[in-house]
Amino acid sequence: MNQRNRTEKPVFSFVFLCMTVFFLVFLLNQKTVYTADDYMYHFFWERSTPSEFTREMDGIRDLPLSLKNHYEGFNGRVISHAFVMFFMMFDKTLFDFCNSLMYLALGFLLLLYVEGDCRKWKPGYLAAVYMTMWAFLPAAGQSVFWLAGACNYLWMMVFILVFFLPYHRYMERPEAEKHPLLKALVMLPLGAAAGCSNENTGGAVVLLAVLFVLFWLWKREKVPFWSVTGILSAGLGVLFLVTAPSSQERMGSEAIQLSVYLKRIREIAGFSFHHLLWPLMILGFLTFCLIRCRRRDARTWAEPLTLPFLYCLSGAASVAVLIASPVILGKSWILAVCFVMIAAGMIYKELAEDGYLRAGMVKASLCLLAAYTLVSYVGAWRDIGRTHEEVQQQIQMIEEQKRQGITDVEVYLLTPSKNLYNAVENTPNVAPEKDGWFNRWMAYYYGVDSITGLERVD
């Protein structure tokens, strides 16, 4: 009876924790407004600005042709934008629900990479993962809560981690290899999705898969057939992405000069400092502790660092390749951050299993992380809630002027947000000029001729 109670208690704790995280993320999703490209994706995609031929999507059957137009005229991320266009056909609550589940899925995957044996999981481990995600996921407003951004970054990160699970498990336990043929078949769509995820993450996916295979060859271990099909399908996904006519046009739109590269290097350094400083400091501290303790005990330290090193190398590549991108944004750091988190978690696990960690230090760190999570969540809730109220005011102003027969409407501009969890932070929204591209799409969505932004009066 006591054993049964001990078993039921962690199950209840896991369920309660997941429900709590889901509820908290869902609440923020519900308050997050449409911004940037969202209004554009409500319509059948023909061009990046509305025209007299712009029309609403006529159900799922419109998706293939709309995605084809998007591939040729905007970018090659057909998988993520298929999700975007799909959710725009329905009430936003459907996306809010699914996106909260994806947030949960990312947390489970990150923990699975650190501790592959689910029987050893504790609710505190999962809570630590979700708090770490909250603290470190880059530009969370754009990569997690914004509809178009979440499908491009959060969702694609989940696909990438699912793709790498067989590689990761085989790296840790090659003797436990099962169902190789089934894995080879599953790797085909997963690899294509992971490779076609994003211009910078796709190449990093192929690199990491190749690094795994090279490591197995160096160790003279058997290279499973599914790992090769995964590389080939991911490579085809990357090729499909970067050879899109729209991608080729963007890449050639800016003159390749030394000043351009120097500007991009400065931007990459700035974003890396902002998004990777603390994760890398934690990783460095844990690595130092592992090397020091194992050398003191005359034990090998290189082997447990091999897999974390491969993840960090792939993450670094996903950042370095941005030097070829004409537009560099913080949300592109999501793969690098997640891979550093995995690397740090794996080293932490080694330290914990070796008995090198002090319980007091771990508890103090978790308390600090929990305090940050609580304070920043309250701040995010207030800031996102304020933006939501202001957008509702804009909608009321539009509807009121429409009832008065006014088709060139005026609305108040949004209060600028500096909260990283707010989707309107650093994304285009209503501008003072009615000819701004966001103004034009919003006007088309609400059935008016134009929208002009007015300075907000307190």
Side-chain angles (χ1 to χ4, degrees):
M1 185 65 180
N2 290 335
Q3 179 64 34
R4 180 181 178 183
N5 288 337
R6 285 195 296 268
T7 303
E8 289 177 350
K9 185 176 180 180
V11 171
F12 173 79
S13 299
F14 270 113
V15 172
F16 179 77
L17 173 63
C18 291
M19 290 179 63
T20 301
V21 172
F22 175 89
F23 178 71
L24 293 174
V25 174
F26 181 78
L27 285 180
L28 292 185
N29 268 306
Q30 284 271 279
K31 289 291 184 179
T32 298
V33 299
Y34 288 134
T35 185
D37 301 340
D38 288 344
Y39 283 107
M40 176 174 66
Y41 287 117
H42 276 91
F43 301 96
F44 182 85
W45 209 97
E46 291 180 323
R47 46 186 290 184
S48 57
T49 54
S51 69
E52 58 181 315
F53 303 107
T54 301
R55 62 177 177 85
E56 293 184 359
M57 295 280 285
D58 188 20
I60 303 297
R61 59 186 178 184
D62 264 350
L63 264 179
L65 184 55
S66 183
L67 287 169
K68 176 179 178 294
N69 294 341
H70 188 271
Y71 178 80
E72 294 174 350
F74 203 63
N75 66 51
R77 303 178 211 161
V78 294
I79 297 176
S80 57
H81 284 95
F83 287 119
V84 176
M85 294 179 186
F86 171 80
F87 284 118
M88 291 303 182
M89 299 181 199
F90 304 94
D91 184 86
K92 186 172 172 291
T93 301
L94 176 63
F95 165 78
D96 297 337
F97 180 85
C98 295
N99 195 54
S100 302
L101 290 178
M102 276 295 186
Y103 192 88
L104 285 178
L106 180 59
F108 271 97
L109 284 167
L110 291 174
L111 182 55
L112 190 60
Y113 270 73
V114 174
E115 176 53 78
D117 188 352
C118 300
R119 294 170 297 182
K120 296 181 179 179
W121 286 10
K122 295 180 181 179
Y125 297 166
L126 192 58
V129 169
Y130 284 124
M131 289 190 294
T132 305
M133 285 169 55
W134 176 265
F136 295 133
L137 286 183
Q142 300 170 36
S143 63
V144 174
F145 297 110
W146 170 33
L147 194 153
C151 292
N152 274 273
Y153 296 94
L154 172 64
W155 288 52
M156 290 299 101
M157 194 64 227
V158 169
F159 278 107
I160 289 170
L161 291 182
V162 171
F163 168 72
F164 275 121
L165 266 179
Y167 291 88
H168 186 86
R169 300 299 289 270
Y170 187 78
M171 191 79 169
E172 292 188 321
R173 297 180 60 195
E175 73 282 356
E177 170 66 4
K178 295 179 180 179
H179 313 298
L181 181 59
L182 177 61
K183 288 181 182 178
L185 294 175
V186 172
M187 278 293 160
L188 294 175
L190 280 179
C196 195
S197 56
N198 196 287
E199 288 79 4
N200 70 309
T201 58
V205 165
V206 176
L207 172 64
L208 182 56
V210 170
L211 288 175
F212 279 134
V213 171
L214 291 177
F215 179 80
W216 296 329
L217 290 173
W218 178 62
K219 296 285 287 186
R220 296 184 179 181
E221 294 178 356
K222 179 182 178 182
V223 176
F225 177 66
W226 53 260
S227 67
V228 179
T229 64
I231 292 174
L232 293 176
S233 60
L236 290 175
V238 174
L239 189 64
F240 178 81
L241 175 67
V242 300
T243 57
S246 52
S247 298
Q248 296 295 312
E249 183 179 347
R250 284 189 177 191
M251 293 292 291
S253 62
E254 190 171 4
I256 304 302
Q257 301 174 349
L258 179 60
S259 60
V260 173
Y261 283 123
L262 291 176
K263 174 178 176 291
R264 293 176 184 175
I265 291 173
R266 287 194 299 269
E267 290 179 341
I268 290 171
F271 279 116
S272 297
F273 180 84
H274 183 73
H275 295 302
L276 285 173
L277 176 63
W278 279 103
L280 286 176
M281 286 180 63
I282 295 171
L283 175 64
F285 174 74
L286 293 173
T287 303
F288 170 78
C289 291
L290 182 68
I291 295 174
R292 183 175 180 272
C293 292
R294 291 213 165 188
R295 290 186 66 179
R296 183 191 62 195
D297 295 343
R299 298 176 61 194
T300 178
W301 52 266
E303 185 176 348
L305 294 180
T306 301
L307 191 50
F309 173 75
L310 295 183
Y311 282 112
C312 290
L313 187 60
S314 176
S318 74
V319 171
V321 76
L322 289 169
I323 195 173
S325 174
V327 180
I328 300 175
L329 299 171
K331 52 184 180 285
S332 298
W333 267 251
I334 189 168
L335 181 138
V337 170
C338 285
F339 278 4
V340 170
M341 287 168 59
I342 290 172
M346 295 178 68
I347 297 173
Y348 174 89
K349 176 190 173 184
E350 292 288 337
L351 288 167
E353 291 181 346
D354 290 346
Y356 293 138
L357 294 177
R358 295 180 179 178
M361 183 178 68
V362 174
K363 291 180 180 179
S365 300
L366 290 177
C367 287
L368 288 174
L369 186 58
Y372 171 82
T373 301
L374 177 61
V375 172
S376 59
Y377 183 90
V378 172
W381 169 259
R382 290 174 177 172
D383 195 74
I384 295 172
R386 187 206 67 231
T387 299
H388 182 269
E389 292 176 0
E390 292 181 356
V391 170
Q392 294 304 308
Q393 183 185 36
Q394 289 179 339
I395 297 172
Q396 292 172 5
M397 294 176 70
I398 293 171
E399 297 300 332
E400 179 61 30
Q401 290 172 75
K402 283 175 65 176
R403 284 193 291 268
Q404 297 174 13
I406 301 172
T407 56
D408 293 306
V409 305
E410 297 178 334
V411 300
Y412 290 129
L413 299 173
L414 297 181
T415 303
S417 172
K418 296 299 181 183
N419 191 290
L420 296 177
Y421 303 95
N422 193 332
V424 302
E425 191 264 342
N426 282 336
T427 56
N429 214 278
V430 175
E433 304 81 14
K434 66 179 181 181
D435 292 329
W437 69 268
F438 183 91
N439 293 45
R440 294 176 64 184
W441 277 113
M442 189 175 182
Y444 199 89
Y445 180 82
Y446 285 106
V448 295
D449 292 339
S450 68
I451 292 179
T452 301
L454 301 177
E455 290 294 335
R456 183 167 295 275
V457 178
D458 295 330

